[in-house]
Amino acid sequence: QSPWVWGAALLMLVAGALFVLAERQARALYYLGVANYQLGRTGLNKQQVLEGQKYADQAAAMNSAVKSQAYQLAQQIKELAQR
């Protein structure tokens, strides 16, 4: 088999690995946002709630399966913070 085939396969594997890493990162950021929001809300800690918004905004900026959920969470936190 030619080196071109192996080179193309390597590029596809790297691209796939980066996609998986990005998806995991987005999910981790989203769940960090949820956890900080919930903990801050229950403990009435506005700073922790805003920390949750930061993570949710980061997750919402990424192309992932949790993009819309993260956006909704960030909007919900912004509305709560304005009260």
Side-chain angles (χ1 to χ4, degrees):
Q1 296 188 2
S2 79
W4 295 104
V5 173
W6 289 110
L10 179 62
L11 286 176
M12 287 189 283
L13 285 169
V14 168
L18 292 175
F19 173 77
V20 169
L21 289 175
E23 182 67 31
R24 283 185 176 177
Q25 182 181 17
R27 287 177 185 269
L29 289 168
Y30 170 70
Y31 289 118
L32 278 168
V34 169
N36 275 285
Y37 168 65
Q38 292 296 338
L39 285 170
R41 199 178 70 158
T42 22
L44 300 175
N45 182 344
K46 186 174 181 178
Q47 197 60 37
Q48 192 163 23
V49 169
L50 294 175
E51 190 75 11
Q53 179 188 344
K54 180 182 86 171
Y55 289 122
D57 282 336
Q58 289 176 13
M62 301 176 79
N63 287 328
S64 71
V66 296
K67 182 180 182 96
S68 64
Q69 290 171 290
Y71 177 79
Q72 289 172 354
L73 175 63
Q75 294 307 308
Q76 183 178 359
I77 294 171
K78 285 176 189 170
E79 289 173 14
L80 180 69
Q82 289 176 353
R83 293 181 194 165

